[in-house]
Amino acid sequence: MNKVRVLVVDDSAFMRKIISDMIALDKEFIVVGTARNGKEAIQKIKELSPHVVTMDVEMPEMDGLAALDVIMKQFARPVVMLSSLTNEGADATLKALELGAVDFITKPVNVFKVNTEEIQAQLIEKIKVASRVKVSQNKLFRPSTKKMEIKSREKTSVLLDENKSIKKIVAIGTSTGGPKALQEIIPYLPKNIPASILIVQHMPPGFTKSLAERLNNISAINVKEAENNETLLAGWAYIAPGDHHLELKNEGNLLKIKLTKTKPVSGHRPSVDVMMNSLAQLNLGDKVISVIMTGMGSDGAEGMKNIKLNKGYTVAQDEATCVVYGMPKSAINLGCIDKIVPLHDIAGTITQTVGV
């Protein structure tokens, strides 16, 4: 069996050694080289032709973002970023995902906790997924000029204290490839949409807030990280905070957000299934539109099925535009999807179904 060739890029000799040793423990991989910065990484890619690159974000001479930009344009290799758990680290990681990185893992604050079974399992899993991604196929996006138009639009300034104007609830679940994919949906929803949007994106704490802020800056609707017990408003999107499940509750005929830290579902908190099942249990019928998008595994499939059984409308992203065709495929295999559409048609499908 041909092994997956991995290049490890980090400015720390200690980190290069630890990461290389963890990768080498899996028989599917071989570490073909290491690099100390982005400039060296580009040269090593030319020489060694790795299948996957692990890349630190913060490095001297040429940082991970600058190197990633060159790699995506010249070599089109899957890259997994290593990020710090800081606000700056979260922002840089989201920028990396926008530039084309497949996924990321977070470094513990204490570097001596890097070599743990949990970190190793994450690293191995994400490199395996990355090795199966055909980066060159993941270019089915609209030109950025339209986003700049959207960015200049004035957001709605009317804050309702009731959600009577909400005609629909749109629930979106995604994982690997999701942050970039969401940029092809949320900015294209009109500010007068009579719906609330709930989003579960598999991400650690801190990163979901940065994701919400980035989407808010380029969208006509308002986007925020969800808060416990807040009332849903039309024209707003709420992203589940990292490490919290997002559910919905009906309180005095008002729909409100409920955040919980109950046990992870299928290894995830937030879980798409938890959000979708919560909506199904409210018996909102055709008021619910649920969308399952790019991501590894099957989180969300059961919830999509329950929403369909409750007469909700279900949409799945097609295989061609998914970075990882796991979550949509699992839902489609359950026979509970009304419409399968490419990424660039999801926003239009939502607005059409809502009736804007």
Side-chain angles (χ1 to χ4, degrees):
M1 184 182 71
N2 292 329
K3 293 191 176 187
V4 175
R5 298 163 60 84
V6 184
L7 175 69
V8 175
V9 185
D10 200 292
D11 63 325
S12 161
F14 173 78
M15 288 298 298
R16 291 196 301 273
K17 170 68 173 166
I18 290 290
I19 293 166
S20 297
D21 287 349
M22 286 194 290
I23 293 171
L25 288 172
D26 193 291
K27 294 179 181 178
E28 289 185 32
F29 302 135
I30 180 170
V31 177
V32 293
T34 63
R36 294 170 294 178
N37 56 51
K39 188 176 180 181
E40 197 173 296
I42 291 165
Q43 186 60 38
K44 289 288 182 78
I45 291 171
K46 291 178 184 176
E47 295 171 4
L48 303 171
S49 191
H51 298 122
V52 181
V53 178
T54 69
M55 178 90 69
D56 190 19
V57 173
E58 300 168 10
M59 296 180 292
E61 196 165 353
M62 179 186 272
D63 66 18
L65 292 180
L68 178 65
D69 193 34
V70 175
I71 292 167
M72 289 299 107
K73 289 173 180 174
Q74 295 186 15
F75 306 105
R77 300 294 157 90
V79 177
V80 177
M81 305 300 291
L82 273 72
S83 169
S84 62
L85 281 166
T86 62
N87 289 336
E88 294 80 10
D91 288 341
T93 300
L94 287 165
K95 178 64 177 172
L97 296 174
E98 290 168 14
L99 287 171
V102 173
D103 209 340
F104 72 98
I105 63 169
T106 54
K107 291 182 180 179
V109 176
N110 185 342
V111 294
F112 296 103
K113 292 185 178 179
V114 171
N115 194 11
T116 64
E117 288 184 9
E118 182 182 0
I119 297 290
Q120 183 189 341
Q122 278 187 39
L123 181 65
I124 295 298
E125 180 182 51
K126 296 194 176 191
I127 294 175
K128 283 183 178 177
V129 170
S131 70
R132 296 192 289 266
V133 171
K134 294 180 181 178
V135 175
S136 59
Q137 291 185 349
N138 190 30
K139 296 186 183 298
L140 305 170
F141 302 112
R142 308 180 217 217
S144 59
T145 50
K146 190 161 185 182
K147 287 182 188 171
M148 295 309 293
E149 275 176 41
I150 294 168
K151 187 174 180 179
S152 64
R153 293 182 192 169
E154 185 182 345
K155 293 181 186 292
T156 178
S157 59
V158 181
L159 300 183
L160 306 175
D161 32 47
E162 298 189 351
N163 41 38
K164 290 179 181 176
S165 62
I166 298 175
K167 291 183 180 177
K168 302 280 186 180
I169 306 294
V170 180
I172 300 173
T174 187
S175 187
T176 309
K180 187 171 183 179
L182 287 168
Q183 290 195 8
E184 305 304 317
I185 299 173
I186 306 305
Y188 296 92
L189 300 178
K191 69 178 181 180
N192 63 340
I193 189 169
S196 290
I197 296 91
L198 305 177
I199 301 168
V200 165
Q201 162 70 56
H202 295 156
M203 268 187 162
F207 290 82
T208 44
K209 185 174 182 181
S210 290
L211 176 62
E213 289 171 352
R214 293 181 80 85
L215 286 172
N216 187 58
N217 287 337
I218 59 171
S219 301
I221 65 170
N222 298 277
V223 186
K224 71 187 297 289
E225 191 177 50
E227 296 177 59
N228 190 47
N229 211 40
E230 66 180 316
T231 301
L232 293 193
L233 300 172
W236 285 71
Y238 305 87
I239 299 179
D243 206 31
H244 288 78
H245 291 308
L246 187 153
E247 300 178 56
L248 211 57
K249 59 183 179 179
N250 193 332
E251 202 171 88
N253 290 322
L254 289 177
L255 294 174
K256 294 189 174 185
I257 287 171
K258 177 184 176 184
L259 299 180
T260 69
K261 292 197 74 170
T262 53
K263 66 180 182 180
V265 175
S266 303
H268 299 293
R269 189 171 62 202
S271 159
V272 181
D273 270 329
V274 169
M275 174 179 67
M276 301 291 190
N277 285 331
S278 168
L279 283 166
Q281 289 163 12
L282 287 176
N283 296 316
L284 298 171
D286 63 3
K287 193 174 183 179
V288 177
I289 302 165
S290 58
V291 182
I292 193 78
M293 291 168 43
T294 177
M296 182 173 53
S298 61
D299 187 27
E302 178 196 338
M304 295 286 283
K305 182 179 180 180
N306 289 332
I307 283 174
K308 177 63 180 171
L309 290 171
N310 197 45
K311 299 183 170 54
Y313 189 72
T314 54
V315 178
Q317 184 179 349
D318 74 350
E319 182 175 6
T321 60
C322 281
V323 173
V324 181
Y325 188 55
M327 288 161 56
K329 183 181 180 180
S330 296
I332 290 166
N333 287 345
L334 289 181
C336 62
I337 299 299
D338 290 306
K339 193 170 185 179
I340 302 170
V341 296
L343 175 60
H344 50 270
D345 285 342
I346 292 177
T349 300
I350 291 170
T351 54
Q352 185 179 11
T353 309
V354 170
V356 178

